Amino acid sequence: MKSLECLLKDEAATNEFGEDLALALKAGDCVALSGDLGAGKSTFARAFIRAMADDEALEVPSPTFTLVQSYDLRIPVAHFDLYRLADASELDELGFDETLTEGICLVEWPDRAEEALPAVRITLTLSHEGDGRRVNVTAPEAAFDRTVRSLAIRTFLTGEGYPGVRRRHLSGDASIRAYERIDGRDGEPAKILMDAPRHKPGPILQNGKYYQQLAHIAEDVVPFVAISAFLRKRGFAAPAIYARDLERGLLLIEDLGSEGILDAYGRPVAERYLESVRLLARLHAEPAERDVEIGDGTVHRIPDFDRTAIRIEISLLIDWYLPWRRGRPASEEERQEYFAVWEGLIDVLASAERNLLLRDFHSPNIIWRPEKSGFDRIGIIDFQDAMIGPTAYDVASLVQDARVTVEPDLARRMLTAYAADRRASDSFDEAAFLRDWHLMAAQRNCKLAGLWVRLKERDGKPGYMKHMPRTFAYLEHALSHQVLTPLREWCIKTGILAPESANR
């Protein structure tokens, strides 16, 4: 258990503290609120619940007489007041355990059921001090670290001239990054807080390096700052950066909007996908810069999507997907054959056209800005893992959108639009590009198939498995090119694809 103390100078500071903790806690956290009558327990609970609901006017009645008040929010919250609890055993009747498995429990007067509460919990002890109150926070290490991180974000915002601004959860993703929406100052537009702590090293896989290093995944926010600067200099709509703490991994960036390239039913909007692929053609028309300076003497050198990175990504299929699919790991012979096939395919890519790869250029990371014109309508986000490699990669990422089905007719139109714009360049080899597109599509889907399983099995995020059927439909199409015949045959031999796919 770790602890810290904070002085909350007034009720506004208590409300702010409740808001900060609402961004730090997660399902399974139990918060015991201790202190005398009037110490601020209920004030904190109201602020916490309203922040979680993103509703400052939400009615938050005291549960003194009902004993528990439940809220169906982003993370469900149950507010318990045990002052009138006759016996600790009654906590079961209130559904405490069930609530805690799904959400967060705030418990006032926890001493009335000490033996029934989780031994590992967060305790806030509040006491009067002047016109405000002092709070002592005791928590297990993981929850404590989350709390400290959230309070550090508040300190960052205050230090950058945004004291007292409202913070609200915006989103998280498959990585450790999280995002908040921050109220603007004096009528300014809202901004986005990007919370991207430095990656912790993982297990060493080869050559003394861990996965992020081998795959060239960004380990801090420097690449995001650099690629944003590069794209903006080229005239593309990447977020402006208003404030930054490179060491802590905190950025305050422009909010490009919330409208995407899908319709209200989650289907691709053809015009928006076509304009997005034309943006790639524009990006690929000029050579990328290798070194990007971001000030303070910091220079980001954009890495290559090299043999090592490609190999470590496609290993996800054989390390994660195949054992999950068959219930047993790949044999040594299967592994040797698989990697031998890919060695040959990577050799083919030696002649591929190369440029900047945004790496995840698909629907979750593209903002549609209808009030703008030209390519300024397309906001680009989430590009911190950018590399230099085959231009076909990003086109494959968009045309075979991992999160939504792009029907074959639209896919053909997108490839036609890209090629038409690129023909203005004498160096564009359309046949070689289409070969590389199929190869990069296969590489990406081999990675994704393993990634979905890894997210489920290792990270406890089973929701991504819904994308698996689409991933394999895309993979089968990618394998239709003759250059990928050896990989298609290996997939059939190992049972990953059905034999009839050989005739498609």
Side-chain angles (χ1 to χ4, degrees):
M1 302 290 283
K2 295 184 175 181
S3 63
L4 62 84
E5 275 194 350
C6 299
L7 177 62
L8 309 175
K9 63 180 181 179
D10 51 27
E11 186 165 331
T14 303
N15 289 335
E16 189 175 277
F17 184 76
E19 182 178 279
D20 293 345
L21 258 67
L23 289 156
L25 303 191
K26 65 178 185 179
D29 284 337
C30 174
V31 183
L33 301 171
S34 297
D36 295 335
L37 285 169
K41 301 184 296 296
S42 295
T43 299
F44 166 85
R46 280 194 299 272
F48 181 96
I49 293 166
R50 286 170 176 166
M52 191 69 74
D54 194 11
D55 184 353
E56 293 181 322
L58 179 69
E59 184 70 24
V60 183
S62 171
T64 300
F65 294 102
T66 59
L67 298 185
V68 61
Q69 190 75 32
S70 298
Y71 301 87
D72 186 14
L73 306 175
R74 171 177 65 86
I75 302 174
V77 177
H79 181 194
F80 293 83
D81 186 326
L82 307 185
Y83 187 78
R84 297 176 58 250
L85 194 72
D87 188 89
S89 62
E90 295 178 17
L91 205 56
D92 287 339
E93 299 173 18
L94 297 175
F96 180 86
D97 288 341
E98 180 181 351
T99 300
L100 194 59
T101 62
E102 300 173 353
I104 297 167
C105 291
L106 305 180
V107 183
E108 296 190 47
W109 302 103
D111 53 299
R112 302 299 177 94
E114 179 70 29
E115 64 273 26
L117 294 177
V120 179
R121 60 179 182 262
I122 302 161
T123 298
L124 305 187
T125 304
L126 296 106
S127 58
H128 293 285
E129 184 161 328
D131 294 330
R133 50 184 60 92
R134 184 170 293 277
V135 58
N136 179 279
V137 182
T138 303
E141 184 173 8
F144 182 85
D145 290 346
R146 284 185 268 122
T147 300
V148 169
R149 181 75 180 179
S150 187
L151 296 177
I153 291 173
R154 178 67 70 181
T155 300
F156 166 73
L157 292 170
T158 300
E160 294 294 340
Y162 293 86
V165 291
R166 190 177 74 158
R167 303 166 55 195
R168 290 295 183 264
H169 172 83
L170 181 60
S171 68
D173 59 25
S175 75
I176 60 174
R177 289 185 300 276
Y179 300 87
E180 301 176 15
R181 175 161 278 112
I182 306 298
D183 281 353
R185 301 173 300 187
D186 304 322
E188 291 180 353
K191 295 175 173 56
I192 302 298
L193 185 287
M194 179 175 170
D195 176 14
R198 188 180 298 274
H199 267 287
K200 295 180 180 178
I204 299 300
L205 298 180
Q206 64 184 64
N207 300 327
K209 296 182 178 181
Y210 46 90
Y211 182 86
Q212 286 87 353
Q213 293 174 319
L214 294 167
H216 304 316
I217 292 174
E219 297 188 72
D220 54 35
V221 296
V222 168
F224 184 94
V225 175
I227 302 302
S228 177
F230 171 82
L231 292 172
R232 290 174 62 81
K233 185 171 72 172
R234 288 284 185 88
F236 298 111
I241 297 172
Y242 303 118
R244 68 192 200 185
D245 185 330
L246 301 182
E247 183 60 33
R248 288 187 175 181
L250 299 174
L251 300 176
L252 190 62
I253 65 177
E254 180 182 6
D255 183 357
L256 294 179
S258 58
E259 188 172 347
I261 59 174
L262 306 178
D263 65 17
Y265 300 98
R267 300 172 303 200
V269 178
E271 176 200 7
R272 301 179 184 184
Y273 271 76
L274 288 165
E275 284 301 293
S276 297
V277 82
R278 291 188 62 239
L279 179 147
L280 290 177
R282 166 78 174 274
L283 177 64
H284 297 158
E286 299 179 39
E289 297 176 19
R290 173 68 69 178
D291 298 308
V292 183
E293 186 174 352
I294 63 170
D296 302 328
T298 302
V299 176
H300 173 59
R301 185 169 183 81
I302 302 175
D304 284 314
F305 190 40
D306 55 21
R307 186 179 296 268
T308 299
I310 294 173
R311 184 182 172 96
I312 197 68
E313 288 191 348
I314 58 96
S315 69
L316 292 172
L317 179 85
I318 201 163
D319 290 342
W320 289 91
Y321 176 78
L322 191 60
W324 172 82
R325 169 73 180 265
R326 300 192 314 190
R328 67 180 189 278
S331 69
E332 185 58 32
E333 180 181 0
E334 287 171 332
R335 294 183 67 84
Q336 289 180 2
E337 290 179 354
Y338 179 66
F339 288 113
V341 166
W342 271 108
E343 288 300 314
L345 294 174
I346 296 170
D347 288 342
V348 172
L349 288 173
S351 62
E353 179 191 55
R354 298 170 66 81
N355 208 305
L356 182 72
L357 312 184
L358 300 172
R359 295 282 289 149
D360 277 314
F361 192 69
H362 59 163
S363 55
N365 300 327
I366 302 174
I367 305 297
W368 184 256
R369 310 197 300 167
E371 74 282 3
K372 304 292 184 179
S373 61
F375 289 128
D376 203 32
R377 290 180 296 176
I378 303 166
I380 310 170
I381 59 174
D382 201 7
F383 39 69
Q384 57 280 332
D385 296 329
M387 301 184 205
I388 291 176
T391 52
Y393 183 96
D394 275 351
V395 183
S397 175
L398 180 64
V399 174
Q400 292 196 334
D401 193 322
R403 307 296 182 92
V404 63
T405 299
V406 177
E407 297 295 342
D409 179 64
L410 177 55
R412 284 190 292 269
R413 291 169 62 193
M414 292 168 67
L415 287 170
T416 299
Y418 177 86
D421 282 12
R422 291 299 315 282
R423 287 191 196 105
S425 169
D426 293 337
S427 62
F428 181 64
D429 184 334
E430 186 170 351
F433 168 78
L434 288 174
R435 176 203 66 193
D436 299 338
W437 182 89
H438 280 267
L439 208 161
M440 287 287 84
Q443 188 273 342
R444 182 168 170 79
N445 287 300
C446 284
K447 177 188 76 171
L448 289 173
L451 180 61
W452 303 147
V453 175
R454 190 176 73 177
L455 285 166
K456 172 182 178 289
E457 299 287 308
R458 189 192 72 180
D459 302 334
K461 298 178 179 180
Y464 289 92
M465 292 294 288
K466 66 184 179 183
H467 302 304
M468 192 69 81
R470 179 186 308 112
T471 298
F472 271 89
Y474 285 156
L475 177 60
E476 286 200 35
H477 177 68
L479 295 176
S480 65
H481 194 285
Q482 62 183 11
V483 76
L484 287 149
T485 298
L487 181 59
R488 183 171 65 250
E489 291 177 345
W490 182 90
C491 288
I492 293 169
K493 180 179 177 181
T494 55
I496 288 177
L497 293 181
E500 56 266 24
S501 68
N503 301 317
R504 293 177 186 175

